[in-house]
Amino acid sequence: MEDRILRVIATGDMFITRRIPREGYEGFEQVRDCIMGHDVKFSNLEMTFHRQEGYPAAVSGGTWAMMDPEALDDVQRFGFNLYNTANNHSGDYGQEGVLATIRHLRERDMVFSGTGANLGEASRACYLECRKGRVALISVSSSFHESARAGGQSHEMTGRPGLNPLRFQTRYHVDQNHYDMVRELVKITKVNAGKEFSIKNGYSNPFEPGTLPFGSAGMFILDETNWTESMPNAEDMKRITEEIAEARRQADVVFVSFHGHECDGEDTTVPAMFLETFSRACIDAGADVIIGHGPHELRGIEVYKGKVIFYSLGNFLFETETVGLQPYDAYINRKMPLDTKVGSYMDNRSKNGTVGYGVLENIWRAVMAGWTMEDGKVTGVQLYPISLGLHDKRPRKGEPRMSGDEEVLKYLQSLSDRYGTKIRIENGVGYIDL
């Protein structure tokens, strides 16, 4: 029956730095109407929203991301009603920026998860009440500076504002020849001297046989072949899967959103191993759909146990070069005068528009992913290509428009081949039949 079918749509990263004109921009209505045709409408808010109500952090997610809170009203004009706030820009303006953004979201009654006043709040699912069911969303980020991680409360001390973290460990498996190379470098550089001193004096446990760290760069494992392994942090996995189990009890459907830049070596289109492990573990714990974003480009789609994993939907709205302000650290890092204007800073960073995200084709094409659910089960996926204006000038670049570009869908087909996922293309829309 129609009234039992829940329609959901999800987009990738929304980095908004300009107000949407009162009358909209060319193509706005088509994007809005597509989104509004669904019950649940999700996006990742890759931005902090406040008026310098936080202090610039010593490091940023790449660009210090701050926008006037009124831009949240523009975001809602697209029709979105569910958001992730955990990403590598969550901590760009410190803990005060986290709390200010939360305050402005709550003033508008926006439903979000991923950040909070402490680890408990940041980890908790949010719930969207829909006519056709109750939807839970748990949001995490694996890409962040350690200072942005939320902290838990003790019986004596309050927690720390921040994001819901998904930490991970990388282990480099190497053969005997390369293991001996690492051991020689350790000897020459003395990179493990502090750790070795601690082990010698009984404060730390000895390295396991066949393992050798190289400072903080990673752990090398003696093996027969050379390969890289990454695994999600066990403590974070326990916390996240327990929240999924609770959401499974409290909601009709459960979504997990992750923000992860990490990739398999140099291929940015392939997620790191730990992101695949994490996504499948979330489904095993009770999640229905996993919504990935972060690398600012498309990654493949996997159907796992009848559930769907979108490893990255790419961008939705991407206006990095028209951010209003950048702090002292941005200019000092590039050895520029402190009275430099933001436009000049962006020209310098992009070498006058010749390098960086601005010229990479895959950054400026993406999909919005729709899916239908009946009795809590995904029954079909629809993929709507969008273009963000690769060749537009800076003042207009980054605005999403429906493209119907079947070449984008064919590209996504190729990215999904590694997971055995078949995408059917008809009239500029991709379909996955479940």
Side-chain angles (χ1 to χ4, degrees):
M1 294 176 60
E2 181 68 20
D3 61 359
R4 293 169 56 189
I5 297 175
L6 182 72
R7 289 184 168 82
V8 186
I9 193 165
T11 73
D13 298 320
M14 189 187 307
F15 198 106
I16 182 170
T17 61
R18 304 191 298 267
R19 297 297 305 275
I20 295 176
R22 193 178 297 273
E23 66 278 13
Y25 60 84
E26 184 179 353
F28 168 78
E29 291 81 7
Q30 289 81 2
V31 174
R32 178 202 60 199
D33 292 348
C34 180
I35 294 169
M36 289 293 287
H38 298 77
D39 306 295
V40 181
K41 295 149 282 197
F42 166 90
S43 193
N44 170 52
L45 288 178
E46 195 163 9
M47 178 61 57
T48 66
F49 296 89
H50 54 95
R51 300 181 190 85
Q52 298 194 57
E53 295 161 61
Y55 300 98
V59 293
S60 74
T63 299
W64 278 262
M66 176 179 63
M67 180 57 178
D68 291 344
E70 288 77 14
L72 290 170
D73 302 323
D74 292 335
V75 166
Q76 292 183 95
R77 289 173 60 192
F78 283 108
F80 294 113
N81 57 11
L82 190 61
Y83 307 91
N84 168 31
T85 55
N87 52 68
N88 56 296
H89 289 283
S90 301
D92 280 0
Y93 286 85
Q95 293 155 17
E96 296 88 348
V98 170
L99 294 176
T101 298
I102 289 172
R103 183 170 64 253
H104 290 295
L105 286 162
R106 287 178 174 165
E107 285 174 356
R108 291 164 172 81
D109 199 25
M110 298 171 73
V111 180
F112 68 93
S113 63
T115 52
N118 52 60
L119 182 59
E121 284 191 13
S123 303
R124 197 173 300 146
C126 64
Y127 294 91
L128 178 66
E129 310 294 344
C130 296
R131 181 169 181 161
K132 299 178 183 178
R134 193 178 199 221
V135 178
L137 174 70
I138 295 139
S139 299
V140 310
S141 182
S142 59
S143 304
F144 59 90
H145 187 268
E146 192 68 13
S147 61
R149 178 164 61 95
Q153 301 192 155
S154 73
H155 69 289
E156 291 183 323
M157 293 206 61
T158 187
R160 178 179 60 252
L163 58 78
N164 186 16
L166 173 62
R167 293 166 291 178
F168 62 94
Q169 181 184 18
T170 302
R171 295 159 67 97
Y172 303 97
H173 293 251
V174 294
D175 58 25
Q176 186 69 61
N177 182 45
H178 290 91
Y179 189 81
D180 291 341
M181 291 180 184
V182 175
R183 185 159 50 194
E184 182 67 16
L185 281 172
V186 166
K187 181 180 178 181
I188 292 171
T189 62
K190 303 188 187 320
V191 69
N192 291 341
K195 185 71 171 176
E196 290 167 349
F197 179 84
S198 183
I199 292 171
K200 179 180 178 181
N201 288 278
Y203 295 111
S204 297
N205 295 324
F207 305 138
E208 295 179 16
T211 71
L212 183 63
F214 190 79
S216 60
M219 179 69 73
F220 287 83
I221 312 295
L222 180 61
D223 205 338
E224 295 181 358
T225 57
N226 300 313
W227 61 286
T228 301
E229 174 188 27
S230 64
M231 62 203 77
N233 176 277
E235 178 185 334
D236 291 344
M237 282 303 307
K238 182 176 184 295
R239 186 187 68 256
I240 294 164
T241 53
E242 285 179 351
E243 188 60 46
I244 292 171
E246 172 64 7
R248 183 79 272 163
R249 289 187 286 264
Q250 300 295 86
D252 295 299
V253 295
V254 179
F255 303 145
V256 173
S257 165
F258 76 77
H259 192 81
H261 293 221
E262 296 78 17
C263 59
D264 182 20
E266 294 179 342
D267 190 347
T268 58
T269 67
V270 178
M273 180 189 296
F274 81 91
L275 290 172
E276 295 180 334
T277 302
F278 165 77
S279 298
R280 294 164 191 157
C282 288
I283 287 176
D284 290 338
D288 296 299
V289 177
I290 312 299
I291 308 167
H293 38 81
H296 297 301
E297 60 179 311
L298 289 168
R299 286 176 175 172
I301 302 169
E302 179 177 9
V303 178
Y304 174 74
K305 296 184 177 180
K307 311 296 179 70
V308 184
I309 303 170
F310 301 100
Y311 282 109
S312 176
L313 297 174
N315 290 314
F316 172 72
L317 194 155
F318 198 55
E319 301 171 340
T320 57
E321 292 190 321
T322 47
V323 64
L325 297 169
Q326 290 293 273
Y328 165 94
D329 307 86
Y331 301 114
I332 290 299
N333 290 346
R334 300 203 66 84
K335 299 180 173 55
M336 300 181 74
L338 294 181
D339 61 354
T340 301
K341 299 297 184 182
V342 174
S344 296
Y345 169 81
M346 293 298 175
D347 286 344
N348 177 279
R349 191 173 75 173
S350 69
K351 296 183 179 179
N352 293 314
T354 61
V355 300
Y357 282 158
V359 296
L360 300 177
E361 181 181 7
N362 287 339
I363 302 299
W364 304 96
R365 56 184 194 169
V367 298
M368 301 190 296
W371 63 91
T372 52
M373 303 191 72
E374 190 167 358
D375 296 328
K377 298 183 184 302
V378 181
T379 56
V381 174
Q382 309 83 43
L383 303 165
Y384 305 99
I386 57 173
S387 170
L388 280 73
L390 168 64
H391 301 295
D392 289 348
K393 293 183 178 180
R394 184 182 293 173
R396 294 271 66 86
K397 197 166 188 171
E399 297 169 340
R401 294 174 174 84
M402 307 297 292
S403 71
D405 188 347
E406 295 194 355
E407 291 304 312
V408 173
L409 296 172
K410 291 175 183 177
Y411 175 65
L412 187 53
Q413 279 180 328
S414 68
L415 296 179
S416 302
D417 281 345
R418 64 182 278 113
Y419 303 111
T421 304
K422 303 301 180 185
I423 300 174
R424 174 170 52 86
I425 301 174
E426 294 181 8
N427 300 319
V429 179
Y431 298 91
I432 301 174
D433 301 314
L434 284 89

